[in-house]
Amino acid sequence: GDRMRVTVQLVDATTGRQLDSMRFDAAASDPFALQDEIAAAVAARLDVQFAAGAPGTRDPDAQLAYLQGLELLGRWRGADADAALARFARARELDPRFAAAYVGEVRARRLSALLRGENPPPRTPELVALAERALALDPQLGAAHVLRGAMSDDPVAAEAALRRGIDLSPSDADAHLALGDLLSRQPGRVDEALAALDRAVALDPLHARARYLRALVRHVNGGGVAEFEEELRKVLEVDPEQPSALTRLGLLVAAQRGAVGEGLALLERSLASDPTAWFTISTAAEMYLSLGLVDEAAALVGDHP
């Protein structure tokens, strides 16, 4: 009916021993009150304190739209980024003070542009204003500082903002991923970059993008071909249709083992997963050209600039 009951078991992850069991009852119309009650009870049992911070939203529909947007954004596909944008915009519409929704909207717009070949992704006045609005609404929102870092043209300022975001949200895998990405493009900082990417994967073992970028950074900085192929296949175990991993693997098997047919099949799988990804489109077109399939390459590229 209009009531919820949640049973929480607190278990020692090392021994498997149950430490406590708690039962909570609340009105179904107010899940946030129940969430707060559970968090406070668990914190008290563990004798820890949570960092203070402004609440995200008290609107269940806004929260749901936001969570749906996050899930879509994590797929790293153009169509999903567009769908995520609609979810974040809906969350912001339902609760104009929901700072994280502004961050999500900017991230979705930039990712959609990046996947379609706009590199670096856009940093328009509108997007900057949305990002700054998020910070104004919640200066303690780690994701807003991470976004500021990702949008900065100054590597020193970018790193400072990313580290500030991590200080505020140390369990945010995307924040560690962004730091690893930034550091990987700076001379002499590969070890730091890999440490950040390792942390991202440790925090979210199912984060396919973090696993892919870690594999790529290792390979570009002296990792072996066989190791790179193995790591790419592990990415595909997490997400069998991850476009970047499929494309890189297709390139690798075609170039290193001469298995052009297998490579092209992997690229076509990647295109089926994300038909708008320019990296895959251009890579597949080059492979078609290498086989003398000029018409196929031209059809694939179309009128893309």
Side-chain angles (χ1 to χ4, degrees):
D2 60 354
R3 302 287 295 172
M4 288 188 297
R5 170 168 293 172
V6 177
T7 300
V8 178
Q9 293 180 338
L10 184 62
V11 179
D12 186 318
T14 302
T15 65
R17 181 171 63 90
Q18 182 174 312
L19 302 176
D20 206 346
S21 180
M22 295 166 274
R23 191 178 74 185
F24 303 87
D25 294 282
S29 59
D30 193 4
F32 295 102
L34 181 60
Q35 177 179 322
D36 291 344
E37 185 180 355
I38 294 172
V42 173
R45 178 63 178 81
L46 295 174
D47 193 25
V48 297
Q49 290 185 336
F50 291 130
T57 181
R58 308 301 292 187
D59 186 320
D61 292 330
Q63 178 73 0
L64 178 59
Y66 172 74
L67 292 174
Q68 290 170 336
L70 278 185
E71 197 277 331
L72 288 163
L73 200 62
R75 297 179 186 177
W76 207 263
R77 296 167 178 82
D80 290 324
D82 295 340
L85 173 60
R87 301 295 199 285
F88 292 130
R90 176 61 175 160
R92 184 161 69 89
E93 177 184 331
L94 289 167
D95 184 354
R97 298 192 60 79
F98 189 6
Y102 289 79
V103 173
E105 185 171 338
V106 176
R107 287 183 60 198
R109 290 193 191 186
R110 284 167 56 83
L111 178 59
S112 177
L114 176 66
L115 293 175
R116 288 171 168 84
E118 191 173 339
N119 192 15
R123 188 180 182 274
T124 64
E126 180 189 4
L127 294 182
V128 172
L130 287 172
E132 293 303 315
R133 176 62 175 158
L135 274 171
L137 287 168
D138 186 356
Q140 301 302 307
L141 181 62
H145 290 273
V146 171
L147 179 60
R148 172 183 272 181
M151 295 178 70
S152 175
D153 295 328
D154 179 350
V156 175
E159 183 177 346
L162 290 173
R163 292 194 182 280
R164 175 60 176 155
I166 289 172
D167 287 342
L168 291 167
S169 301
S171 296
D172 184 352
D174 285 329
H176 293 274
L177 170 61
L179 179 62
D181 187 21
L182 175 71
L183 296 176
S184 71
R185 291 180 270 111
Q186 297 181 14
R189 307 194 71 179
V190 175
D191 289 343
E192 293 177 80
L194 289 173
L197 294 171
D198 284 342
R199 184 60 181 156
V201 173
L203 288 165
D204 185 357
L206 299 181
H207 202 310
R209 179 66 186 178
R211 286 181 173 274
Y212 165 76
L213 186 57
R214 183 176 66 174
L216 182 61
V217 171
R218 284 175 176 169
H219 177 64
V220 169
N221 290 279
V225 172
E227 179 188 6
F228 188 36
E229 179 174 350
E230 180 182 357
E231 291 193 4
L232 288 175
R233 293 192 184 279
K234 287 180 179 178
V235 174
L236 296 175
E237 290 176 6
V238 172
D239 180 356
E241 305 306 319
Q242 212 286 331
S244 300
L246 285 169
T247 301
R248 289 284 181 185
L249 186 58
L251 270 173
L252 187 149
V253 299
Q256 299 295 328
R257 292 202 266 108
V260 178
E262 181 184 352
L264 196 53
L266 287 164
L267 289 173
E268 288 172 348
R269 267 180 63 191
S270 183
L271 285 169
S273 177
D274 186 0
T276 65
W278 177 242
F279 172 54
T280 307
I281 291 171
S282 59
T283 301
E286 289 179 3
M287 195 170 293
Y288 280 134
L289 288 173
S290 71
L291 297 171
L293 302 173
V294 178
D295 292 341
E296 287 81 352
L300 194 58
V301 173
D303 58 358
H304 196 289

